[in-house]
Amino acid sequence: MTRVRAVDLRLVGLPLVRPFRTSFGQSTEKACILARVETDETWGWGECVADVEPDFSGEFNDGAWLVIREFLAPALLRANDVRAEDLPSMFAFVRGNPMAKATVIDAVLDAQLRAGGTSLASYLGADRDRVACGVSVGITPSTEALLDQVSTYLLDGYRRVKLKIAPALDVDRVRAVREANPEIALSVDANAAYSAGDVEVFRALDAFDLLMIEQPLHHEDLIEHANLQRGLRTAICLDESIRSAADARTAIALGACRTVNIKQGRVGGLLEARAVHDVCADAGVPVWCGGMLETGIGRATNLALAAMPNFTLPGDTSPSARYFRDDLTEPFEMASDGTMAVPTGPGIGVEPDVDRLDACTRRREVLTA
Ligand code: SMG
Ligand code: MG
C-alpha cells in the first residue's frame, strides 16, 4: 500500500565531453527531466529520455514536462494506493507520450523496489551481473577523426562499435573503419535518414559484414523496412519504429527487422520494455539495450534491463566518462574486458549527488496532492 505524496520535477543540463552528431542534429549537452517521487515509505527516481527538440521522436523536454505536470502527476497524486504495475492502465487516458509516462512509471517502480529491498535487475529477472558494452560514435568532421575515435574506443575495450551515418557520410566512412578493423563487431545507425530509393547505399553496406543496420528508413515505414530486409544479408535493427510491444510484434510479423533496440524510455518505461523483450524472445529475435546519453540515473536503469536473458548483443551502455566529466551519480566504469557491473542495491541502486544535482538544475517544480 503506497501513496505518492509528491512528484519533484527537475530539468537538468550537463555538458557532454564531446559533441554528439547524428543524421538529425548535434548535441553538445545533455538536457533532460528527472522525476523524484516521494511515497509514504521511500522515494524513487525516473529519467526522461526526451531531448530539447522533437527530433529523435515527437516528444521533447518542455512537452514532456507539461504532460507530466498537467496529466500524469495529478492522476498519480489522486490515487490512494499505487503500484507501478497499475500505472500503464491508469495513464491510458493520455494517448502516446511514452517518454513522459516512462519517467513517472520508472520512478514509482524504483520507489516500490526500494521499499521492498529488491534490485531492479532481480525484479526484471536478470540472469547476469555484468553486461557487455558497445559505443555509439557520432558523425565526425572527417574520416581521419572517425578512425582516431574508433581506435581510442577499441583500446578502452568496447565490445562493439556503432557508427552514426547520414546520406553521403556512409559507405566510404564505413569502408575505412572496416578496412582498419577487419575483426571488430561493427554496426551503423541511420536514425531514419534514408528512403526506399537509397537501396544502393544499403547494398554497398551489406558487403562490410556488419552486425546490423539500425533504423535505415522512416519510423512509420515498416513495409519498406521489410522490403529492404528481404534484399540484405545484414540484419535490420529497429529503434525509432518500436514504441511498444505491439509495434515489436507487428515489425517481426512483417519481417521488417531481425533485431530490436530496446530503449525503455522510448516504449513507455521498464514494464513495457520487459513486454518488448518477451515478444522478441518468443519470436527468437535478439535484442540489445539502446542509449539516450543518459545520466547515471537512466544508466543504472538501462544496466538492469540489459542484464535480462534475451539481451544477447552488446548495448549502447557506455561508462559515464564517455559522456560527462561529472555524472550526477557515482560514475559508472567499464572494465578493460568491455563489461560493466549491474547495480545490486534496492531499486535502481544509485542516488544522485545532491550538490551536483542542484548545480545542474535549470528548473524545478514540486507537485503535491
Ligand atoms: O547513449 O551512447 C548513447 C547514445 C546511443 O546512438 C545512440 N543513441 O538512435 O540509438 C540512437 C541514438 C539516439 C540518441 S540521439 C541524441
Ligand atoms: Mg538508434
Side-chain angles (χ1 to χ4, degrees):
M1 295 285 269
T2 300
R3 216 164 59 86
V4 175
R5 297 181 175 281
V7 179
D8 183 348
L9 287 182
R10 294 175 188 247
L11 184 68
V12 300
L14 280 82
L16 293 172
V17 293
R18 60 163 40 128
F20 188 66
R21 183 176 160 201
T22 65
S23 62
F24 58 80
Q26 172 159 302
S27 317
T28 53
E29 73 160 19
K30 169 70 184 172
C32 67
I33 300 171
L34 296 177
R36 181 182 187 275
V37 299
E38 272 171 43
T39 68
D40 286 337
E41 299 93 23
T42 177
W43 69 90
W45 289 98
E47 175 170 335
C48 185
V49 302
D51 205 339
V52 177
E53 292 174 12
D55 44 17
F56 173 84
S57 90
E59 292 184 83
F60 63 106
N61 287 339
D62 289 345
W65 185 283
L66 272 183
V67 170
I68 296 171
R69 190 184 72 184
E70 298 298 321
F71 303 105
L72 305 179
L76 186 65
L77 292 164
R78 268 196 308 270
N80 284 323
D81 180 25
V82 173
R83 289 189 58 78
E85 292 82 356
D86 301 331
L87 295 183
S89 52
M90 184 195 287
F91 292 160
F93 75 100
V94 174
R95 185 72 62 90
N97 291 281
M99 295 179 175
K101 288 176 181 172
T103 312
V104 178
I105 293 172
D106 292 354
V108 172
L109 181 60
D110 183 35
Q112 186 173 312
L113 296 174
R114 283 178 197 259
T118 309
S119 72
L120 176 60
S122 67
Y123 171 82
L124 292 172
D127 69 352
R128 67 208 100 124
D129 57 9
R130 304 191 68 82
V131 297
C133 303
V135 63
S136 172
V137 186
I139 295 169
T140 49
S142 66
T143 304
E144 292 64 46
L146 176 61
L147 290 168
D148 275 357
Q149 277 193 31
V150 169
S151 342
T152 311
Y153 287 135
L154 289 170
L155 286 173
D156 290 341
Y158 287 100
R159 299 270 191 98
R160 185 226 61 202
V161 173
K162 159 170 138 182
L163 308 178
K164 290 292 193 181
I165 57 168
L169 298 166
D170 41 38
V171 178
D172 291 347
R173 290 197 168 197
V174 178
R175 181 185 299 111
V177 171
R178 179 45 99 202
E179 281 175 358
N181 306 279
E183 303 295 334
I184 62 168
L186 184 64
S187 69
V188 296
D189 185 358
N191 288 109
Y194 296 85
S195 57
D198 294 315
V199 63
E200 288 312 322
V201 173
F202 299 106
R203 290 223 180 94
L205 292 173
D206 212 19
F208 300 135
D209 198 19
L210 301 175
L211 205 53
M212 69 190 78
I213 297 174
E214 184 176 339
Q215 198 68 47
L217 311 176
H218 190 274
H219 67 280
E220 286 168 337
D221 267 350
L222 290 182
I223 301 273
E224 291 298 354
H225 277 101
N227 289 340
L228 181 62
Q229 179 68 92
R230 266 193 295 282
L232 296 179
R233 256 181 343 130
T234 311
I236 289 180
C237 170
L238 291 177
D239 175 357
E240 287 91 325
S241 292
I242 307 298
R243 296 149 307 175
S244 62
D247 279 346
R249 210 174 287 118
T250 308
I252 293 167
L254 288 171
C257 64
R258 291 188 199 143
T259 174
V260 171
N261 166 333
I262 300 185
K263 290 175 179 163
Q264 60 80 21
R266 192 197 64 227
V267 302
L270 286 159
L271 302 169
E272 189 70 12
R274 181 172 62 181
V276 176
H277 166 276
D278 294 349
V279 162
C280 294
D282 288 347
V285 169
V287 303
W288 55 281
C289 185
M292 293 295 279
L293 314 165
E294 285 90 347
T295 79
I297 308 266
R299 196 157 302 282
T301 308
N302 286 347
L303 286 168
L305 183 67
M308 291 181 72
N310 193 37
F311 281 81
T312 51
L313 297 161
D316 285 342
T317 43
S318 307
S320 299
R322 183 254 173 274
Y323 312 93
F324 312 113
R325 199 173 54 98
D326 297 306
D327 204 338
L328 291 179
T329 59
E330 282 301 299
F332 282 95
E333 282 166 11
M334 181 173 74
S336 56
D337 70 350
T339 65
M340 212 148 46
V342 179
T344 54
I348 61 171
V350 300
E351 197 60 41
D353 177 275
V354 178
D355 294 336
R356 280 204 294 274
L357 179 63
D358 284 341
C360 74
T361 297
R362 306 252 170 91
R363 188 194 306 163
R364 186 173 181 191
E365 201 171 334
V366 182
L367 310 165
T368 51

